[in-house]
């Protein structure tokens, strides 16, 4: 049984239950398996040797999630090819692919956790009451160590983009 944490995050002002451990800076990043836009499996190891910014959103088709993904897409090129940005949500891969095409997103890999909620359960972002991911950002260095963690306390708030970007730059 996965660990459950209640009240650390709210959704519309209401506390939610997060399933999975609370990730800490310094720990080894947990493995996970999600699907890319073509429904092919992707894992943390798929990007081995790269610095990974993992941007977690409830649904790409909502305002803040859209803005968050666009923001990371805008800064991606300036970070260099040794940094990869992954956006993970419980949206279906078809939805993610359609959204990326409409939004012109080409620098961020959108990945779906809809099948098993593998990422959500491994990183403690799975909101049990909604079967969605809470808003969070993780930065993983090229040695698979977590160097930055932010669980956004209210899902309807933006993450601290600058802090995550600076964390990624500092690990280079």
């Amino acid at each position: 049984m996965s660990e459950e944490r209640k009240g650390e995050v709210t959704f519309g002002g209401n506390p939610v239950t997060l399933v999975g451990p609370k990730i800490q800076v310094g720990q080894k990043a947990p493995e996970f398996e999600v699907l890319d836009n073509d429904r092919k499996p992707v894992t943390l190891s798929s990007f081995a040797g790269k610095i990974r910014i993992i941007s977690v959103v409830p649904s790409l088709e909502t305002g803040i999630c859209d803005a968050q993904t666009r923001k990371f897409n805008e800064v991606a090129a300036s970070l260099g090819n040794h940094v990869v940005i992954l956006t993970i949500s419980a949206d279906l891969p078809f939805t993610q692919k359609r959204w990326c095409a409409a939004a012109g997103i080409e620098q961020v890999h959108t990945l779906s956790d809809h099948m098993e909620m593998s990422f959500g359960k491994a990183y403690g972002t799975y909101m049990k009451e909604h079967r969605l991911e809470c808003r969070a950002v993780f930065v993983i260095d090229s040695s698979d160590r977590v160097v930055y963690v932010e669980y956004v306390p209210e899902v309807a708030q933006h993450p601290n983009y600058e802090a995550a970007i600076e964390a990624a730059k500092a690990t280079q």
Side-chain angles (χ1 to χ4, degrees), residues 36-52:
D36 70 11
N37 290 177
D38 294 319
R39 297 178 296 133
K40 295 194 173 28
V42 173
T43 64
L44 179 71
S45 301
S46 299
F47 301 97
K50 299 241 183 208
I51 297 166
R52 287 140 292 181

Side-chain angles (χ1 to χ4, degrees), residues 115-130:
M115 290 288 288
E116 304 292 331
M117 298 302 285
S118 168
F119 178 87
K121 291 174 184 174
Y123 284 73
T125 59
Y126 174 28
M127 293 187 294
K128 184 177 178 179
E129 293 84 353
H130 303 285

Side-chain angles (χ1 to χ4, degrees), residues 63-140:
I64 296 172
C65 301
D66 176 292
Q68 181 173 332
T69 306
R70 288 176 189 268
K71 173 70 173 178
F72 282 119
N73 188 66
E74 288 170 15
V75 301
S78 69
L79 296 173
N81 62 4
H82 58 287
V83 177
V84 65
I85 300 176
L86 314 175
T87 292
I88 298 179
S89 74
D91 292 313
L92 294 174
F94 313 107
T95 301
Q96 292 180 337
K97 189 173 192 172
R98 183 184 69 244
W99 181 86
C100 285
I105 302 299
E106 298 176 351
Q107 302 295 318
V108 170
H109 299 270
T110 55
L111 302 169
S112 174
D113 201 16
H114 87 99
M115 290 288 288
E116 304 292 331
M117 298 302 285
S118 168
F119 178 87
K121 291 174 184 174
Y123 284 73
T125 59
Y126 174 28
M127 293 187 294
K128 184 177 178 179
E129 293 84 353
H130 303 285
R131 200 178 189 289
L132 296 170
E133 308 283 352
C134 73
R135 190 173 316 284
V137 180
F138 304 91
V139 178
I140 316 288

